[in-house]
């Protein structure tokens, strides 16, 4: 599975993180392990001090 992402397309979030706002959205990939599957719970390590969360929409395309 390949996960393609569009980033820096929400200006307010980029400003919040002190990131530059590009002229066009940034396209990047994430590993398959970035997705929660099979109703597994979300967790983050105890050493995490600065957690940012986002809601993602996934469009799955297959050959069938």
């Amino acid at each position: 599975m390949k996960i393609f992402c569009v980033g820096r397309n929400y200006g307010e979030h980029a400003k919040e993180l002190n990131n530059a706002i590009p002229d066009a959205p940034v396209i990047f990939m994430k590993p398959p392990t970035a997705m929660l599957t099979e109703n597994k719970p979300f967790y983050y390590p105890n050493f995490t001090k600065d957690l940012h969360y986002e809601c993602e929409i996934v469009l799955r395309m297959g050959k069938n």
Side-chain angles (χ1 to χ4, degrees), residues 36-56:
L36 294 177
T37 59
E38 301 172 9
N39 294 321
K40 293 179 183 173
F42 173 79
Y43 72 95
Y44 60 96
N46 291 335
F47 60 81
T48 301
K49 301 293 182 208
D50 188 16
L51 177 67
H52 292 262
Y53 58 91
E54 299 175 359
C55 178
E56 307 286 350

Side-chain angles (χ1 to χ4, degrees), residues 1 5 8 17 27 32 41 45:
M1 173 182 0
C5 306
R8 304 277 174 94
L17 297 174
I27 307 298

